Amino acid sequence: MVDAPASPVARERLDALARLVSGPTDREEPTRTDRDSLPIHAPYDDSVVGEVPSCTPDDVRDAVSKARAAADEWAAWPVEDRVAVIRRFHDALLDRREDLLDVIQTETGKARVDALEEVLDAATAARYYGNHAGQVLGSTRRGGAIPLLTKTVEHHHPVGVVGIISPWNYPLSLSISEAIPALLAGNGVVIKPDEGTPFTALWGLELLRECGLPDDAVQVVTGEGPTLGEPLIEAVDYVSFTGSTEVGRTIAETAGRHLTECSLELGGKNALLVLDDANVERAARGAARGCFANAGQLCISIERIYVHESVADDFRDAFVREARALTLDAGYDYDHDVGSLLDDALLETVEAHVENAVEKGATVLTGGRARPDLGPYFYEPTILTDVTPEMTLADEETFGPVVSLYEVETVSDAIEQTNDSAYGLNASVWTENTERGEQVATRLEAGTVNVNEAYAAAWGSFDAPMGGMKDSGIGRRHGRRGMLKYTESQTVATQRIAPFSPPKRGKRLWADSASFGVLLWKRISELGP
Ligand code: NAD
């Protein structure tokens, strides 16, 4: 029996959050009490800490209707008023962070420092989009069809209701942070959090309402993805999905059938490159954070390291030292570096990947075992070498604290092997020559590349888009694109004086003049702006 610390969040508090789940409105059946409930477990000791309703497809349709009705009013607010709500949310979030960190840790089992990353992320999203919403959403004059004669303006309208389907690993960042640009753009939002981690999104919903968001503008529906996914995708105007590539394909198919636009933020098998001129100590410290943050349950975490042979021994030794120095344990404080895995399914995958690799000849440099003495799902930070292509974890995402170390002869080999993957989410390059690092970065097939950092530099650069190439996704979050995707653009073009239609007579002359005009325009445009 493990003596794990009990959650500091009272059961009544979680019950109160559960009551915020979107419920039936006008329908008689089924009522909330008729619905099954989902028990929520604390990964630290697998105890049941609370429960939420298992929503039905009708609940989802109701939730979308409520969000749609609220969005009509919300979208009519001046953008500065919507921004004011989000700015209040920013401050309140930081003020109440300790309470929120307890909730996040309770349902995910992550270390407190990893939970804090989520709080800082949501605050950054609120600040960035709060500061930029007015400018991004503002109507913009565009070049007209005929200079001086066509006045063309691009407007951005909210899409209506945005559905957000989010995973368990970052239950605040991937639900509430994602909802912020959608809300600021004037949409209603329906969040379907992962079935195991609903309380964090509900906590965020409660705070948004306290900060002045109209009550129904955000709805949270809890329950099983396969049951709620299709009714949600059918009813909303845009779906933002974060999760596995496998489920992402299902979402894309369903969205295609209903012609619902979607963005898909999916899995990765991210690589870190240590070049011959890297500061190996620094690289080893960065790699340890990159591989073992959130116990490796991070889409942008590092699972492959390609190190130049000239620094391979030094890097290996320093990296193993860094990994061994990480403290692994349960605790609702900042005393530990690495927390628990989510559940038995995750632990099984991690164990199976490592066992399969070891059976086929991989060497464990450190870790390689579960730690049931700390909690049911703890697994040690693990570094493997001698990994070959026939091992499962060579290509497949483990989504745990396991990394493969490969030695390479040249930078080109490292680039080629990095790109030899179905995924293309994140990458990291370590070198003392940052210009060289930036050049290498552009040759990597990854949506984000960090030079002398593992993942946080690119993720935290909110002004720049973030997302996956290849099987890692479609679309981007963050930056202008992260907000504009939640809008319908509309072009309004007003024609003055000369219409486009050819005259009834003199079509030859008209054709020659139009052709000459087009040629002239090209020549003038070549003179520069
Ligand atoms: P998952 O795909 O199993 O689940 C994600 C969400 O989809 C959950 O809310 C789940 O209930 C829902 N879902 C499941 N089946 C569904 C269906 N048929 N229709 C609609 N919804 C459905 O992913 P997970 O295991 O929770 O998360 C881990 C995966 O997410 C990893 O592959 C990780 O790399 C990826 N991820 C990606 C990013 C990113 O930004 N690219 C961020 C975090 C996690």
Side-chain angles (χ1 to χ4, degrees):
M1 184 64 192
V2 182
D3 190 18
S7 167
V9 187
R11 173 71 191 231
E12 301 75 55
R13 174 81 181 106
L14 295 178
D15 288 347
L17 288 175
R19 284 195 285 280
L20 300 178
V21 171
S22 191
T25 41
D26 301 333
R27 280 180 299 117
E28 290 294 315
E29 296 290 340
T31 65
R32 164 126 334 149
T33 47
D34 294 320
R35 293 193 290 176
D36 294 333
S37 56
L38 291 173
I40 305 302
H41 296 255
Y44 277 168
D45 59 4
D46 210 23
S47 59
V48 173
V49 288
E51 55 183 43
V52 289
S54 180
C55 292
T56 63
D58 280 339
D59 294 330
V60 171
R61 288 185 269 273
D62 274 2
V64 176
S65 302
K66 281 190 266 184
R68 195 175 294 290
D72 285 346
E73 180 210 336
W74 171 243
W77 288 28
V79 70
E80 313 81 74
D81 293 357
R82 298 202 293 265
V83 166
V85 171
I86 297 302
R87 285 195 204 284
R88 282 196 291 278
F89 176 76
H90 173 279
D91 294 354
L93 182 68
L94 293 176
D95 268 1
R96 311 249 193 104
R97 66 181 183 279
E98 294 303 325
D99 184 40
L100 173 58
L101 292 174
D102 288 341
V103 173
I104 297 175
Q105 281 196 284
T106 295
E107 63 181 7
T108 62
K110 61 172 68 183
R112 201 164 187 85
V113 68
D114 296 325
L116 182 74
E117 259 187 357
E118 293 209 62
V119 175
L120 301 180
D121 173 73
T124 306
R127 173 186 49 75
Y128 175 79
Y129 284 115
N131 287 346
H132 290 84
Q135 184 250 325
V136 172
L137 298 171
S139 300
T140 317
R141 190 78 184 256
R142 298 288 175 201
I146 302 177
L148 306 176
L149 300 187
T150 318
K151 175 188 164 201
T152 303
V153 179
E154 181 186 357
H155 301 283
H156 302 289
H157 302 294
V159 292
V161 178
V162 172
I164 295 179
I165 303 177
S166 58
W168 49 268
N169 63 328
Y170 279 76
L172 184 74
S173 295
L174 302 173
S175 59
I176 298 295
S177 303
E178 195 57 35
I180 286 170
L183 285 170
L184 282 170
N187 297 290
V189 171
V190 178
I191 299 173
K192 207 300 282 169
D194 186 82
E195 32 278 71
T197 57
F199 289 121
T200 302
L202 290 165
W203 192 101
L205 166 65
E206 185 185 61
L207 192 65
L208 280 165
R209 287 181 181 168
E210 263 182 63
C211 292
L213 187 78
D215 266 1
D216 281 344
V218 173
Q219 303 288 319
V220 173
V221 288
T222 49
E224 305 290 339
T227 310
L228 306 185
E230 175 132 15
L232 182 67
I233 295 166
E234 185 179 6
V236 297
D237 306 289
Y238 188 100
V239 65
S240 164
F241 172 78
T242 307
S244 60
T245 297
E246 189 190 348
V247 175
R249 289 187 204 282
T250 308
I251 302 286
E253 280 171 22
T254 313
R257 236 179 303 117
H258 296 289
L259 284 184
T260 303
E261 201 178 346
C262 67
S263 57
L264 307 170
E265 303 285 346
L266 310 177
K269 188 76 191 174
N270 310 304
L272 180 147
L273 289 67
V274 185
L275 306 194
D276 49 5
D277 65 345
N279 175 330
V280 287
E281 294 292 334
R282 233 180 113 201
R285 247 190 332 277
R289 181 81 196 140
C291 299
F292 306 124
N294 212 35
Q297 305 164 113
L298 169 63
C299 55
I300 46 183
S301 73
I302 303 299
E303 295 197 0
R304 302 180 284 156
I305 295 183
Y306 298 102
V307 53
H308 191 270
E309 59 183 4
S310 63
V311 291
D313 291 349
D314 289 346
F315 175 79
R316 183 196 56 227
D317 294 349
F319 184 40
V320 169
R321 230 179 11 252
E322 291 289 340
R324 287 192 180 142
L326 295 170
T327 54
L328 174 74
D329 211 342
Y332 292 89
D333 50 35
Y334 289 102
D335 289 351
H336 310 294
D337 301 311
V338 184
S340 173
L341 298 178
L342 179 82
D343 58 17
D344 50 354
L346 245 291
L347 180 64
E348 265 170 38
T349 304
V350 171
E351 286 186 314
H353 277 199
V354 174
E355 273 164 29
N356 167 279
V358 170
E359 269 165 25
K360 291 180 175 164
T363 307
V364 178
L365 294 179
T366 187
R369 62 190 180 126
R371 290 294 301 274
D373 52 317
L374 303 176
Y377 312 125
F378 281 83
Y379 198 91
E380 288 187 345
T382 300
I383 304 173
L384 301 176
T385 188
D386 303 320
V387 172
T388 51
E390 60 279 7
M391 300 174 188
T392 310
L393 57 60
D395 299 321
E396 279 186 27
E397 183 186 38
T398 303
F399 216 55
V402 182
V403 60
S404 309
L405 193 54
Y406 303 91
E407 205 174 301
V408 289
E409 288 177 14
T410 64
V411 177
S412 295
D413 288 346
I415 294 170
E416 196 179 310
Q417 291 184 49
T418 297
N419 291 343
D420 184 18
S421 168
Y423 293 111
L425 189 56
N426 181 46
S428 168
V429 180
W430 292 78
T431 168
E432 286 297 90
N433 179 344
T434 51
E435 207 174 302
R436 182 179 176 218
E438 286 158 12
Q439 279 165 8
V440 169
T442 57
R443 293 171 61 194
L444 297 175
E445 294 165 1
T448 52
V449 186
N450 297 262
V451 177
N452 292 335
E453 227 295 316
Y455 64 84
W459 179 279
S461 300
F462 254 73
D463 200 28
M466 157 99 223
M469 296 183 182
K470 303 194 278 188
D471 287 359
S472 290
I474 294 176
R476 296 289 184 266
R477 52 163 53 103
H478 294 182
R480 293 173 59 84
R481 286 179 71 177
M483 176 174 265
L484 288 178
K485 70 182 178 181
Y486 296 129
T487 65
E488 284 285 7
S489 76
Q490 181 188 47
T491 298
V492 176
T494 307
Q495 190 62 21
R496 291 187 276 233
I497 310 169
F500 275 76
S501 349
K504 283 206 168 66
R505 276 195 297 274
K507 287 196 176 58
R508 177 80 217 191
L509 179 63
W510 177 86
D512 289 345
S513 321
S515 304
F516 176 73
V518 168
L519 187 65
L520 187 65
W521 192 358
K522 174 171 181 276
R523 296 277 183 265
I524 292 170
S525 64
E526 281 166 355
L527 298 175

